[in-house]
Amino acid sequence: MAPVVRSLLETDLYKFTMWQALLHSHPGAQAEYVFVCRNRPQFPLAELKEEVERELDHLCSLRFTDDELAYLAGLRYMRSDFIDFLALFRFQRKFIRVEVEGDGLSIVASGPQVHVMGFEIFVLYIVNELYFRRLGHAATLDEARRRLQDKIALLREFGREPARDYPFEFFDFGVRRRYSGQWQEEVVATLAREVPDYFKGSSNVWLAKKYGLVPIGTMAHEYLQSYQAFGVRLRDFQTAALEDWVQEYRGDLGIALTDVVGMDAFLADFDLYFAKLFDGLRHDSGDPFEWGEKALAHYRKLRLDASTKRLVFSDGLDLPEAFRLYRHFSGRVMTGFGIGTNLSNDTGIEPLNIVMKLTSCNGQAVAKLSDSPGKTICKDETFLAYLRQLFGISAAA
């Protein structure tokens, strides 16, 4: 069968934006990323080891094409020296290893951060596609297409509601947990053709390029987590990360992620300076209604007009939940909705809940203290306890 990875451009936009920022600010950082499956697969993922190894060999043979580099160079926030770096870049097989661990897969990428951080998205959709190649059958895509048409019908029904102050806009965030590359492409092409008033872009840069869509993304958890190990006072890691982002992008890519140590701790650092400079915030864990109300209360406290800001929701969304959030916050703030698995892997087969997260940087453990307890990630309990104490977070988080 054809290789899973079609292009080095087929990854989330925020991989490029974080990559550029870290190449400029901390080019010598060393990092480790670890693959985790959070749910029980229908067959042992260990059975995929040889196939995953072959796909990684293929990934490491690829380069960015001149056409792809020209596309990236056309994004105004991408700098010429980063494009030159990408022209020379190849993934190095020596920096990633795949092993069997019981019935599961152990996949670890470790080495210079600017050489290993890009593995994450490719590893996730390689494992996904290999997994679903075994489980899918002729009727699977028929069911997926039926569900997609149901979503389009929901959008058209929603369109009959009275107009509100700001439009409803959603984006495809589904590359990492997709059923297959072919299916994600069909979903994106169909939505772009059928509901262009609502569907406004994709995090998948290759698909955004191919279909003339806006590539969507700014930062992920790994960017802020890295600053826990970059030599700043630990209590100040968020402000240091945000400040470097501001200096790198000078007003572009202005949506900040809030849940690396929880929303409350984030807002304590998100002062008037940052609140003015950033266009808005992204939700990725915890109750989204409560989170949004906290964000609006914070803008009021700072005497900022929230109607000039945007709240982006991206945690396990489907369209009905996105509609509820849109109606709730309508008239008070602009919104956006990044929908992932429910777009790219809604087939009737239970999706894998897989991640590949940064666990250490410069030889030091880093942590994510999510607003959803099940998303907390750290392999050093002592560091985790210290981080909780420093930010006043209970052990239940």
Side-chain angles (χ1 to χ4, degrees), residues 108-151:
V108 178
S110 59
Q113 189 168 25
V114 295
H115 283 273
V116 301
M117 63 184 294
F119 275 116
E120 175 199 357
I121 307 301
F122 296 107
V123 166
L124 293 177
Y125 74 70
I126 283 170
V127 172
N128 251 320
E129 185 148 346
L130 294 175
Y131 177 79
F132 287 106
R133 280 178 180 178
R134 293 197 182 189
L135 295 179
H137 46 77
T140 302
L141 285 181
D142 291 339
E143 174 63 14
R145 291 185 181 105
R146 185 191 68 76
R147 294 181 181 213
L148 179 59
Q149 288 304 312
D150 287 346
K151 293 178 178 67

Side-chain angles (χ1 to χ4, degrees), residues 9-23:
L9 202 63
E10 191 162 25
T11 188
D12 281 322
L13 177 68
Y14 65 31
K15 275 296 174 181
F16 291 107
T17 57
M18 293 186 295
W19 200 354
Q20 176 175 276
L22 291 174
L23 181 67

Side-chain angles (χ1 to χ4, degrees), residues 103 166 278 281 355 374:
D103 286 340
Y166 306 109
F278 280 87
L281 304 171
V355 295

